Amino acid sequence: MDVPVEEYTIGWISALTIEAIAARMMFDQKNRGPTRRIPDDKNSYVCGRMGEHHVVITILPEAGGVAAGQAATNLTRTFPSIRYIFMVGIGGGIPRPKYDIQLGDIVVSVPTDECSGVRQIDIGKEEEDGFKLKGTLNQPHVTLLGAIKYLQVLHAMSEGHVHSLVQHPRNVPPRLRAQFAYQGPEAGSGCSRPPGGCEECDTNQTRPDPEIHYGIIASGSKVIKSASVRDRIGETFDACCVEMEAYGLMNYFPCLVIRGISDFADGQKNDNWQGYASLTAAAYAKDLLLSMPAEQVQYSPALAKS
C-alpha cells in the first residue's frame, strides 16, 4: 500500500537487525517505502500500520548514540509529520531490591522530578567529591506520558495487548519461531493467564508474562560487562537498565525508550534472549500505540527540524 510520507506520525528506531525483525512482526499492514526522501538520507525504512498509526522503522548502521541521533534527524526530515520517536530494543538489566528484573522483562523510561527518564552516564567532570553529570536530556511529550499512565491502568486490570502479542505472536516465519520464543528452562506451550482468561491459550500455565518496569535507563557510549560497574551505575543513577543509543536521541528529540532485558551486563552475556527480549519490547510499544487514538497523536507538534 502506498501511503504519503506526511501521514506517518510514529518513528521507530532499532539498533540491531533482530530488534527490527521484532518490530516488523508488529505491523497490522505492510506499506511501501517512501517514494521521496531528503538528499543524503542514507536510512533504510520499513513502513507499515499498527492500529490507527502509520509507523516507519529504521535500523541503525552501527551501534551508538551518534548513529541514533543522525538516523532520527534524517527520519524526521524525510517524514515531516513524525510526532513521536520510539527507541525499541534490548538492554542490560540492573537487578536491585527496587526492581525484580528478570530476563525478558520490559523497561520503559519515565521521568522523575530529577531525571527525564534517561541518564547520560559518561558526560560530566571529575570533582573533588566524585563524578558530576553535565546537562540534562529531553523527556517524552506530555501526551505520551499520559498514554503510559493509561496503559498502566489497563495492565493492572489484566487488559491491554502485551500478553497476546508476546505469547501468541503473529507474522513469525517458522524458521524464526525458536529464536523469538521464551527462553526460560521451564518454558512450556501455554501461558500464565487463568484457564479461560485468554482465548488463544490452553490450560497449561507454564510460561510467564514479562513484567513491566517503569524507571530510569542509563545510557552511555561504553558496553558494560561488569557486575560491579553495573551495580554502581544502578545505585548512582537510580537506574534499572543500561544501553548505548538513547542519549544520542534524547539530546535532540523527546523520545521514549523501551528495552527488553536480554542480559544483566555482567560479562556473562549470550545471545539466547535477544529475540524474546526484542519481542517483548516491541509488544509494549505496539500496545501503547493501540491505546492512543490517532487524533490524539496529531495534537502533538511535529519533530521535523529545518
Side-chain angles (χ1 to χ4, degrees):
M1 179 176 179
D2 286 319
V3 176
V5 293
E6 291 80 10
E7 293 190 22
Y8 287 87
T9 57
I10 306 297
W12 183 308
I13 296 180
S14 301
L16 302 176
T17 300
I18 197 167
E19 299 169 349
I21 294 171
R24 170 64 180 82
M25 287 159 51
M26 296 296 118
F27 279 158
D28 297 311
Q29 171 185 289
K30 175 72 163 56
N31 298 338
R32 293 187 179 91
T35 57
R36 63 176 176 83
R37 59 174 68 204
I38 62 166
D40 299 323
D41 181 1
K42 296 180 175 60
N43 290 353
S44 296
Y45 296 113
V46 179
C47 302
R49 177 179 56 79
M50 297 185 194
E52 299 179 355
H53 309 279
H54 289 297
V55 179
V56 53
I57 300 167
T58 189
I59 181 171
L60 301 183
E62 58 185 0
V66 173
Q70 292 173 343
T73 298
N74 287 331
L75 186 153
T76 55
R77 293 176 64 200
T78 290
F79 295 84
S81 298
I82 294 295
R83 263 58 175 182
Y84 306 137
I85 292 178
F86 293 171
M87 184 82 211
V88 186
I90 60 174
I94 305 178
R96 301 175 59 204
K98 184 177 178 180
Y99 301 100
D100 181 21
I101 292 181
Q102 304 295 324
L103 292 172
D105 282 358
I106 303 162
V107 174
V108 183
S109 66
V110 293
T112 66
D113 291 340
E114 300 178 350
C115 178
S116 65
V118 173
R119 289 278 197 191
Q120 185 173 6
I121 59 176
D122 51 8
I123 296 295
K125 56 184 178 179
E126 292 289 348
E127 298 183 351
E128 291 295 332
D129 55 348
F131 182 79
K132 300 296 183 182
L133 287 174
K134 180 180 179 181
T136 59
L137 301 176
N138 288 303
Q139 68 179 41
H141 190 274
V142 63
T143 303
L144 195 56
L145 295 177
I148 291 172
K149 292 289 187 182
Y150 173 66
L151 192 58
Q152 286 181 278
V153 173
L154 293 183
H155 290 163
M157 302 300 293
S158 296
E159 299 175 9
H161 300 87
V162 166
H163 170 85
S164 179
L165 293 169
V166 170
Q167 308 293 8
H168 313 286
R170 296 171 173 82
N171 305 318
V172 186
R175 62 186 177 83
L176 296 180
R177 286 174 183 165
Q179 189 175 11
F180 286 91
Y182 178 70
Q183 300 293 310
E186 298 180 355
S189 60
C191 75
S192 61
R193 291 288 175 91
C198 174
E199 295 179 356
E200 299 172 275
C201 291
D202 58 29
T203 58
N204 181 14
Q205 302 172 51
T206 56
R207 182 184 302 164
D209 282 338
E211 292 290 334
I212 303 169
H213 308 273
Y214 296 89
I216 294 172
I217 293 176
S219 183
S221 59
K222 298 178 181 178
V223 178
I224 305 301
K225 293 185 177 181
S226 165
S228 61
V229 173
R230 173 205 68 195
D231 291 344
R232 184 167 68 248
I233 290 171
E235 188 67 28
T236 301
F237 303 107
D238 194 26
C240 55
C241 175
V242 64
E243 57 92 78
M244 294 179 59
E245 285 80 31
Y247 72 89
L249 286 174
M250 297 187 74
N251 270 328
Y252 306 101
F253 300 97
C255 70
L256 180 67
V257 185
I258 303 166
R259 293 298 188 189
I261 300 303
S262 63
D263 63 80
F264 291 115
D266 57 3
Q268 302 182 42
K269 180 179 183 288
N270 62 57
D271 296 339
N272 292 350
W273 284 86
Q274 286 190 355
Y276 181 76
S278 296
L279 178 66
T280 61
Y284 180 92
K286 180 174 182 178
D287 201 13
L288 183 61
L289 290 175
L290 293 176
S291 73
M292 300 177 66
E295 294 82 1
Q296 184 183 36
V297 174
Q298 295 290 345
Y299 297 149
S300 300
L303 301 179
K305 299 179 184 294
S306 59

